[in-house]
Amino acid sequence: AITEHEVLGEMRQRSETLESVDSVLPRYATTTSVSLLARQVGDVDNSGIRYITKGGKRWKVSSIVEEFPNIVLYFGEEYHGPDPS
């Protein structure tokens, strides 16, 4: 079961890239990071964080960096996993 937690965070960085992977048209990709107070999302083990909701869409978390007392979540692809029940 998926449990959602509403937290407030600060947008830190947004980068855009064009990746040319043996194709005529390059792939457009974005990476965005948001900083959250670590205590807002529970214990030190943050491995259960799968997505973040921003702008009405769910985005897949690609990495988590601990910068005490915050954690920084990096995301870029739209999340297509299970929905919360």
Side-chain angles (χ1 to χ4, degrees):
I2 295 175
T3 304
E4 289 188 338
H5 299 277
E6 188 170 327
V7 296
L8 297 176
E10 177 184 343
M11 295 296 293
R12 291 185 52 177
Q13 179 183 20
R14 182 170 190 272
S15 61
E16 302 178 25
T17 58
L18 293 174
E19 299 173 355
S20 181
V21 183
D22 298 331
S23 65
V24 176
L25 297 174
R27 179 178 163 263
Y28 175 78
T30 66
T31 302
T32 306
S33 64
V34 63
S35 178
L36 309 170
L37 280 175
R39 66 171 187 248
Q40 288 184 305
V41 293
D43 296 336
V44 175
D45 182 12
N46 296 307
S47 63
I49 299 173
R50 299 288 180 249
Y51 64 84
I52 186 168
T53 303
K54 179 182 178 301
K57 290 185 179 180
R58 291 188 181 109
W59 301 95
K60 181 179 171 183
V61 172
S62 58
S63 63
I64 301 170
V65 177
E66 294 183 19
E67 294 180 0
F68 188 79
N70 297 336
I71 59 171
V72 180
L73 305 178
Y74 290 85
F75 58 96
E77 292 182 36
E78 195 168 345
Y79 176 81
H80 297 289
D83 290 331
S85 49

